[in-house]
mmCIF file of all heavy atoms in Angstrom:
data_model
loop_
_atom_site.group_PDB
_atom_site.id
_atom_site.type_symbol
_atom_site.label_atom_id
_atom_site.label_comp_id
_atom_site.label_asym_id
_atom_site.label_seq_id
_atom_site.Cartn_x
_atom_site.Cartn_y
_atom_site.Cartn_z
ATOM 1 N N ILE U 543 -7.478 -5.550 -13.108
ATOM 2 C CA ILE U 543 -6.710 -4.341 -13.224
ATOM 3 C C ILE U 543 -5.621 -4.688 -14.288
ATOM 4 O O ILE U 543 -4.866 -5.484 -14.253
ATOM 5 C CB ILE U 543 -6.002 -3.810 -11.954
ATOM 6 C CG1 ILE U 543 -6.919 -3.404 -10.854
ATOM 7 C CG2 ILE U 543 -5.027 -2.740 -12.180
ATOM 8 C CD1 ILE U 543 -6.344 -2.963 -9.532
ATOM 9 N N ALA U 544 -5.760 -3.734 -15.330
ATOM 10 C CA ALA U 544 -4.803 -4.052 -16.462
ATOM 11 C C ALA U 544 -4.313 -2.633 -17.037
ATOM 12 O O ALA U 544 -5.116 -1.712 -17.150
ATOM 13 C CB ALA U 544 -5.437 -4.893 -17.548
ATOM 14 N N HIS U 545 -3.106 -2.595 -17.458
ATOM 15 C CA HIS U 545 -2.583 -1.607 -18.117
ATOM 16 C C HIS U 545 -2.567 -1.754 -19.595
ATOM 17 O O HIS U 545 -2.781 -0.813 -20.387
ATOM 18 C CB HIS U 545 -1.133 -1.248 -17.727
ATOM 19 C CG HIS U 545 -0.972 -0.679 -16.312
ATOM 20 N ND1 HIS U 545 -0.232 -1.189 -15.260
ATOM 21 C CD2 HIS U 545 -1.496 0.561 -15.775
ATOM 22 C CE1 HIS U 545 -0.321 -0.431 -14.218
ATOM 23 N NE2 HIS U 545 -1.149 0.587 -14.541
ATOM 24 N N ARG U 546 -2.462 -2.980 -19.988
ATOM 25 C CA ARG U 546 -2.511 -3.247 -21.453
ATOM 26 C C ARG U 546 -4.025 -3.398 -21.874
ATOM 27 O O ARG U 546 -4.660 -4.397 -21.632
ATOM 28 C CB ARG U 546 -1.783 -4.603 -21.738
ATOM 29 C CG ARG U 546 -0.263 -4.422 -21.725
ATOM 30 C CD ARG U 546 0.544 -5.536 -22.189
ATOM 31 N NE ARG U 546 0.461 -6.559 -21.257
ATOM 32 C CZ ARG U 546 1.322 -7.778 -21.331
ATOM 33 N NH1 ARG U 546 2.191 -7.783 -22.268
ATOM 34 N NH2 ARG U 546 1.139 -8.735 -20.301
ATOM 35 N N LEU U 547 -4.636 -2.337 -22.399
ATOM 36 C CA LEU U 547 -5.915 -2.374 -22.623
ATOM 37 C C LEU U 547 -6.394 -3.406 -23.723
ATOM 38 O O LEU U 547 -7.626 -3.681 -23.728
ATOM 39 C CB LEU U 547 -6.425 -0.944 -23.136
ATOM 40 C CG LEU U 547 -5.952 0.254 -22.115
ATOM 41 C CD1 LEU U 547 -6.510 1.565 -22.643
ATOM 42 C CD2 LEU U 547 -6.436 -0.064 -20.697
ATOM 43 N N SER U 548 -5.540 -3.773 -24.473
ATOM 44 C CA SER U 548 -6.000 -4.849 -25.473
ATOM 45 C C SER U 548 -6.417 -6.099 -24.786
ATOM 46 O O SER U 548 -7.058 -6.936 -25.416
ATOM 47 C CB SER U 548 -4.750 -5.109 -26.398
ATOM 48 O OG SER U 548 -3.623 -5.551 -25.681
ATOM 49 N N THR U 549 -6.061 -6.278 -23.562
ATOM 50 C CA THR U 549 -6.312 -7.578 -22.870
ATOM 51 C C THR U 549 -7.674 -7.631 -22.253
ATOM 52 O O THR U 549 -8.157 -8.789 -21.730
ATOM 53 C CB THR U 549 -5.188 -7.914 -21.711
ATOM 54 O OG1 THR U 549 -5.240 -6.876 -20.753
ATOM 55 C CG2 THR U 549 -3.936 -7.971 -22.389
ATOM 56 N N ILE U 550 -8.340 -6.527 -22.228
ATOM 57 C CA ILE U 550 -9.660 -6.362 -21.381
ATOM 58 C C ILE U 550 -10.828 -6.057 -22.314
ATOM 59 O O ILE U 550 -11.718 -5.444 -21.934
ATOM 60 C CB ILE U 550 -9.583 -5.563 -20.188
ATOM 61 C CG1 ILE U 550 -8.934 -4.173 -20.417
ATOM 62 C CG2 ILE U 550 -8.809 -6.152 -19.066
ATOM 63 C CD1 ILE U 550 -9.795 -3.021 -20.855
ATOM 64 N N GLN U 551 -10.516 -6.182 -23.626
ATOM 65 C CA GLN U 551 -11.621 -5.766 -24.712
ATOM 66 C C GLN U 551 -12.949 -6.517 -24.523
ATOM 67 O O GLN U 551 -13.954 -6.073 -24.844
ATOM 68 C CB GLN U 551 -11.071 -5.902 -26.108
ATOM 69 C CG GLN U 551 -9.948 -4.919 -26.375
ATOM 70 C CD GLN U 551 -9.398 -5.049 -27.853
ATOM 71 O OE1 GLN U 551 -10.110 -5.610 -28.665
ATOM 72 N NE2 GLN U 551 -8.351 -4.586 -28.057
ATOM 73 N N ASN U 552 -12.734 -7.827 -23.911
ATOM 74 C CA ASN U 552 -14.031 -8.668 -23.834
ATOM 75 C C ASN U 552 -14.767 -8.326 -22.398
ATOM 76 O O ASN U 552 -15.532 -9.185 -22.100
ATOM 77 C CB ASN U 552 -13.636 -10.192 -24.033
ATOM 78 C CG ASN U 552 -12.605 -10.517 -23.002
ATOM 79 O OD1 ASN U 552 -11.934 -9.793 -22.375
ATOM 80 N ND2 ASN U 552 -12.532 -11.891 -22.962
ATOM 81 N N ALA U 553 -14.183 -7.462 -21.528
ATOM 82 C CA ALA U 553 -14.882 -7.302 -20.337
ATOM 83 C C ALA U 553 -16.350 -6.812 -20.508
ATOM 84 O O ALA U 553 -16.677 -6.078 -21.395
ATOM 85 C CB ALA U 553 -14.012 -6.124 -19.635
ATOM 86 N N ASP U 554 -17.105 -7.256 -19.441
ATOM 87 C CA ASP U 554 -18.554 -6.886 -19.488
ATOM 88 C C ASP U 554 -18.816 -5.498 -19.200
ATOM 89 O O ASP U 554 -19.566 -4.721 -19.645
ATOM 90 C CB ASP U 554 -19.337 -7.837 -18.446
ATOM 91 C CG ASP U 554 -19.222 -9.311 -18.801
ATOM 92 O OD1 ASP U 554 -19.739 -9.584 -19.992
ATOM 93 O OD2 ASP U 554 -18.643 -10.069 -18.071
ATOM 94 N N ASN U 555 -17.778 -4.984 -18.307
ATOM 95 C CA ASN U 555 -17.894 -3.531 -17.949
ATOM 96 C C ASN U 555 -16.534 -3.044 -17.664
ATOM 97 O O ASN U 555 -15.619 -3.666 -17.011
ATOM 98 C CB ASN U 555 -18.864 -3.406 -16.667
ATOM 99 C CG ASN U 555 -19.099 -1.859 -16.400
ATOM 100 O OD1 ASN U 555 -19.063 -1.146 -17.290
ATOM 101 N ND2 ASN U 555 -19.228 -1.567 -15.150
ATOM 102 N N ILE U 556 -16.147 -1.854 -18.174
ATOM 103 C CA ILE U 556 -14.801 -1.289 -18.082
ATOM 104 C C ILE U 556 -15.030 0.053 -17.245
ATOM 105 O O ILE U 556 -15.702 0.897 -17.714
ATOM 106 C CB ILE U 556 -14.098 -0.929 -19.389
ATOM 107 C CG1 ILE U 556 -13.923 -2.351 -20.161
ATOM 108 C CG2 ILE U 556 -12.822 -0.394 -19.045
ATOM 109 C CD1 ILE U 556 -13.360 -2.063 -21.544
#
Side-chain angles (χ1 to χ4, degrees):
I543 292 178
H545 284 126
R546 288 186 287 194
L547 303 184
S548 60
T549 63
I550 47 91
Q551 292 180 19
N552 60 344
D554 297 299
N555 189 30
I556 299 174

